[in-house]
Amino acid sequence: MKTTKIFYFLLISLFFISCSEDEITQENEQSTEAVKETVVTAKNNLKPIGSGVMMQAFYWDVPAGGTWWNVVKGKVDDWSNAGIDAIWLPPASKAQNGPFSMGYDPFDYFDFGEYNQMGSVETRFGSTAELQSLVNTAHNNGLSVIADIVLNHNSGGASEYNPFKGTSTYTDYQPMSGMFNRTYYDFHPNDYHANDEGAFGGFADLCHHKTYVQDWLWNNSNSVAKYYKNVIGFDGWRFDYVKGFAPWVIKDWKNAVGGFSVGEYWDANVNTLDWWTGQAEVSAFDFACYYKMKDAFSGNDLTKLNDDMLWKRNASKAVTFVANHDTDEIVNGKILAYAYILTHEGYPTIFYSDYEQWLDKNKLNNLIWIHNNLASGSTSIMYADNDEYIARRNGNNSAGIVVYINNSNSWQERWVETNWSNTRIKDFTGHSGWEPVTQGGKWVKIQAPPKSYSVWSVK
């Protein structure tokens, strides 16, 4: 996540509470009337997550003014028709910077745009009603909706004397929703321990070892997790900055509410990613793949695609991507990088700006179709040098494919061994007009245009 400029300020207290943490727990447990009796569209006809492609439905600094939920709502029908199966939304609840915040400085986990606090009623993205309308529209189009969850840190608390630091800290949280009030006991340092795996950017660092915090985040019937799922209608979770706390936190959340889960463990070390997915028992963004693609396409060395990646270790836990709201470093050859992740194993993600603004949408739609209909089975890397890369998907529910990526400035041709004998094949991208017939020994010559790619399968 990106660091948001935070200006701490004192909140004018609506009332003063002079009770113990246990009493606060009881008081907040009684706030179930704050949970709105909202009917969420039945979710019987959603596409299985992982059967298609995920859309990251935002970018950094999307337009403010409370319009974004409606913008996305207007696109989900087209996205679903293109083969998207899930949309990932930015953090949806009220944050410390109110109408200007991208949501990564959370203040009130239960205010989705209905309480006048932190400078606005609506969030940057819109109102609660507009969010739920978006969720229902996505469900009606068969799309799951992934919530961006920030559990590591909070922002916007009022100042209070903190005996564990001997100074005042901004750890007094009295959100207008009346849900999940917090004090210095709930952050580091406290009476349990001084710190956990990592703090972020000077924000108040939540202590997940405290039962009170666990109850409000995922255990209680009106916890953040269950409210997001049962009231707002979210179907899965993208967890922000999971380096900041232990993997059991994500595992416990997932066990409490279910749903597809992916963590942002920002590390290029595939061993670390593989370890984390095993401990958390959820998926992770494949940063190892991302950085190898950066080296390959920006550094003009496609042999880097031979290197280890999470999808090669455990494809069922790898969410692959070319760019996101935090990092967008693959500039040269970006469409080639999409050709790579949309023809290989793992669950690919498309970045909103690439799809809607910067790249050829028709080419991306074609690659999404190839991913959903042709690219199945295990992967065999057949050839790689500085400019060329060829891999074969060996087929599972389909005939499989051969993908040929060419980063040179001229057309290239190669003989390759396919899965098909005496079979006519074609390039399903339309970049090549060849329709060769494979030999009895399954070999065939294929081609790819300069700075482009071809994807071959049975005609």
Side-chain angles (χ1 to χ4, degrees), residues 311 344-345 378-383 389-394:
W311 75 258
H344 284 64
E345 293 171 74
S378 60
T379 303
S380 301
I381 299 176
M382 306 175 68
Y383 181 81
Y389 172 87
I390 303 174
R392 184 178 70 217
R393 293 294 299 278
N394 294 308

Side-chain angles (χ1 to χ4, degrees), residues 75 100 193 227 361:
K75 296 182 180 295
F100 308 107
H193 60 183
Y227 191 100
K361 185 181 294 188

Side-chain angles (χ1 to χ4, degrees), residues 229-300:
K229 179 180 180 181
N230 299 327
V231 177
I232 303 300
F234 284 109
D235 309 289
W237 324 101
R238 180 267 185 189
F239 294 100
D240 180 68
Y241 192 62
V242 296
K243 276 188 173 183
F245 47 88
W248 64 262
V249 173
I250 302 303
K251 180 179 177 181
D252 282 8
W253 175 296
K254 182 255 310 181
N255 289 342
V257 294
F260 172 79
S261 301
V262 57
E264 182 213 29
Y265 200 102
W266 196 327
D267 199 309
N269 188 321
V270 67
N271 294 314
T272 303
L273 295 174
D274 196 22
W275 163 83
W276 187 86
T277 59
Q279 293 293 308
E281 298 182 357
V282 301
S283 299
F285 287 101
D286 195 346
F287 279 92
C289 175
Y290 171 78
Y291 283 109
K292 294 305 179 184
M293 289 193 298
K294 177 188 172 186
D295 292 343
F297 296 113
S298 298
N300 298 312

Side-chain angles (χ1 to χ4, degrees), residues 65-66 69 92-95 97-100 108 110-130 176:
W69 296 145
S93 62
K94 188 69 61 66
N97 272 336
F100 308 107
D108 187 343
F110 296 90
D111 178 6
F112 295 90
E114 58 188 297
Y115 298 102
N116 189 359
Q117 57 183 339
M118 296 298 153
S120 66
V121 174
E122 291 190 346
T123 67
R124 182 188 189 103
F125 314 113
S127 67
T128 304
E130 289 166 342
M176 290 187 68

